[in-house]
Amino acid sequence: MDTKHKGFNTKLIHAGAIDDEYGSANVPIYQTSTFKFKSAQHGADCFAGKSDGYIYTRIGNPTIKALEQNIAELENGFDGIATSSGMGAITSMYMALLGAGSHIVSSAAVYGPARGVLEQDFSRFNVEASFVNTSNIENIKKAIKPNTKVLYIETPANPTMEITDIKACSEIAKENNLTLVVDNTFCSPHLQKPLDMGADVVIHSVTKFINGHADIVGGIIVTKEEELYKKIRHSMAYMGCNMDPTQAFMVLRGVKTLGIRIDRAQQNAMKVATVLKSHLKVEWIKYPGLENHPQYELAKSQMTGFGAMMSFGLKGGFDAGKKLMDNVHLALLAVSLGGVETLIQHPASMTHAGVSKKGKLAAGITDDLIRLSVGIEDVEDIIEDLEEGLKKI
Ligand code: LCS
């Protein structure tokens, strides 16, 4: 079925679906590493790109393709490239778009390893990186050099919840001939569509909202145009960062409920944020849906909802945060985010532990910052759990 002009929730369920000879309602798992050619000529034609047909699962597979087309349609992109993890998506993109002597400007607050791999690994191949607070556009302009190739932003940023203006970044990218890449993990295409705002590439850790059930890791890249798609797919396949067919099947199942899951989680998040904001033991809170968020207006203009992620600090600093994390029972003390369950964690010592102390400070990842991913449980229970934990401080 052509779902291009259907609504978002219809696309979630039907985009990318396969019509097979048995009338399968779900996309089957093509758990095969390789595919038979019809003839020697067909094999040669597949390799030469002259004939359609799958070759080898690292390069492509029907179950994986169904997911890639589903997410590409949700993001209004050309096509998708599914990867073994979100980091597989990020490194495939870096590998395709950066080279010795080139430079990338990145949000300072990004998922720790997305920054760490540039600082510790790509730097060994003479790739330069500058990390700036991209919520202030002037910082980006100042950081651009003649050898800058990529502008990489995460909005809202993990874990500071800063918002970066995607349209303004797109203008800067066009003026300076840069590829604008947006990590859309915190929003998912349900709440934000970076390609519609001028981005060239969107990245997701599908481990998070897109799959939503804390049972697989995975990633995806969606490009606006075919040329970038081919370039990044080549890097992904050569580096072997491909997703597995069973993983793709799981994500196809998870994504069907993305709309209702996020709608419910963000309703809960708004209520939780409102309670925390006025709680005596809470020093500060950053949730894009609260008017005291420094980029509340920007969040309202580029996101269609405020999401389920927030960060906050307690009056007793890290020691108080530790007490809270040790005294909640419904919220799981665990990294990851975007699942049906509420998760709480401490970025400075957990997800962003690999970022240098100086880097953390510059990015605003303070020692007292606690990150909360609000799930779809009954909100009264989430609030009660947090309030009970706060009482122990
Ligand atoms: N992008 C963002 C915004 C992320 O939050 C993560 C993982 C990744 C990319 C990488 O994806 P992965 O390879 O894990 O699928 N973020 C995590 C977090 O905040 N806690 O645990 C993982």
Side-chain angles (χ1 to χ4, degrees):
M1 180 178 42
D2 183 4
T3 47
K4 284 249 156 33
H5 303 291
K6 303 282 185 213
F8 187 82
N9 287 286
T10 306
K11 286 183 184 184
L12 286 175
I13 293 159
H14 298 290
I18 291 174
D19 253 339
D20 72 2
E21 60 185 298
Y22 304 108
S24 307
N26 273 308
V27 175
I29 308 176
Y30 287 90
Q31 196 69 45
T32 180
S33 58
T34 195
F35 297 84
K36 276 188 293 186
F37 299 122
K38 294 184 188 94
S39 64
Q41 189 57 49
H42 177 230
D45 287 347
C46 285
F47 270 92
K50 288 187 202 154
S51 178
D52 282 344
Y54 289 99
I55 298 173
Y56 185 60
T57 282
R58 178 161 49 71
I59 301 168
N61 171 292
T63 316
I64 301 171
K65 184 47 56 200
L67 175 67
E68 291 170 338
Q69 289 186 340
N70 179 287
I71 307 293
E73 207 169 306
L74 301 176
E75 289 283 10
N76 294 330
F78 170 73
D79 205 346
I81 304 159
T83 52
S84 52
S85 66
M87 281 310 299
I90 292 166
T91 51
S92 297
M93 175 274 292
Y94 287 161
M95 192 61 104
L97 305 181
L98 299 168
S102 62
H103 173 245
I104 175 172
V105 175
S106 163
S107 297
V110 280
Y111 175 56
R115 175 175 178 153
V117 75
L118 288 171
E119 287 180 320
Q120 293 157 37
D121 299 282
F122 279 82
S123 59
R124 293 187 281 112
F125 303 98
N126 198 22
V127 172
E128 277 183 273
S130 300
F131 300 95
V132 298
N133 181 339
T134 50
S135 66
N136 180 346
I137 291 298
E138 292 310 311
N139 293 338
I140 302 177
K141 289 185 183 161
K142 278 188 216 142
I144 293 171
K145 304 184 191 188
N147 57 340
T148 309
K149 300 286 181 215
V150 176
L151 173 55
Y152 178 59
I153 60 172
E154 208 181 89
T155 180
N158 185 0
T160 59
M161 299 307 296
E162 270 154 10
I163 313 282
T164 295
D165 187 334
I166 299 174
K167 277 190 190 144
C169 285
S170 147
E171 278 160 28
I172 297 174
K174 284 198 178 76
E175 276 162 26
N176 293 279
N177 210 13
L178 316 179
T179 303
L180 174 62
V181 183
V182 180
D183 185 324
N184 200 24
T185 298
F186 268 37
C187 279
S188 92
H190 184 40
L191 301 183
Q192 180 169 276
K193 292 194 178 60
L195 299 181
D196 289 355
M197 290 183 259
D200 302 295
V201 180
V202 165
I203 293 230
H204 285 279
S205 165
V206 301
T207 316
K208 312 296 170 356
F209 290 100
I210 288 184
N211 181 58
H213 292 76
D215 48 13
I216 59 102
V217 292
I220 200 157
I221 303 155
V222 178
T223 69
K224 185 78 185 164
E225 305 294 347
E226 183 172 8
E227 198 183 329
L228 269 179
Y229 167 79
K230 284 187 171 159
K231 202 168 170 180
I232 302 175
R233 177 166 282 285
H234 170 88
S235 287
M236 182 287 287
Y238 267 38
M239 292 200 305
C241 289
N242 60 288
M243 190 177 265
D244 179 81
T246 299
Q247 227 179 331
F249 173 84
M250 297 287 281
V251 183
L252 277 165
R253 187 171 67 165
V255 77
K256 289 185 204 289
T257 54
L258 178 70
I260 54 174
R261 279 189 285 107
I262 293 206
D263 286 347
R264 160 86 177 200
Q266 68 180 0
Q267 261 176 29
N268 283 357
M270 190 69 206
K271 289 183 186 157
V272 169
T274 306
V275 168
L276 288 177
K277 185 176 161 250
S278 55
H279 198 286
L280 287 175
K281 291 185 181 166
V282 174
E283 175 76 24
W284 60 270
I285 173 158
K286 253 187 167 174
Y287 176 63
L290 294 178
E291 285 179 28
N292 72 352
H293 188 290
Q295 293 107 23
Y296 170 71
E297 291 300 331
L298 176 60
K300 244 184 11 182
S301 72
Q302 70 179 16
M303 295 157 67
T304 55
F306 298 114
M309 300 299 300
M310 65 189 70
S311 57
F312 60 93
L314 299 177
K315 289 202 169 123
F318 177 51
D319 288 341
K322 218 169 168 180
K323 270 241 163 72
L324 172 66
M325 288 185 288
D326 285 337
N327 284 287
V328 285
H329 303 291
L330 186 137
L332 305 181
L333 175 53
V335 298
S336 201
L337 58 105
V340 290
E341 59 286 299
T342 298
L343 300 177
I344 191 165
Q345 69 114 359
H346 179 240
S349 67
M350 296 176 187
T351 45
H352 293 70
V355 179
S356 67
K357 211 171 175 150
K358 207 173 126 205
K360 273 189 278 220
L361 262 184
I365 307 167
T366 49
D367 223 28
D368 67 338
L369 189 154
I370 303 291
R371 194 188 73 186
L372 192 66
S373 171
V374 178
I376 65 170
E377 301 96 337
D378 289 304
V379 70
E380 298 76 18
D381 292 332
I382 303 172
I383 291 170
E384 183 184 71
D385 188 43
L386 290 167
E387 281 177 335
E388 287 301 312
L390 286 165
K391 268 189 205 154
K392 298 278 164 42
I393 298 164

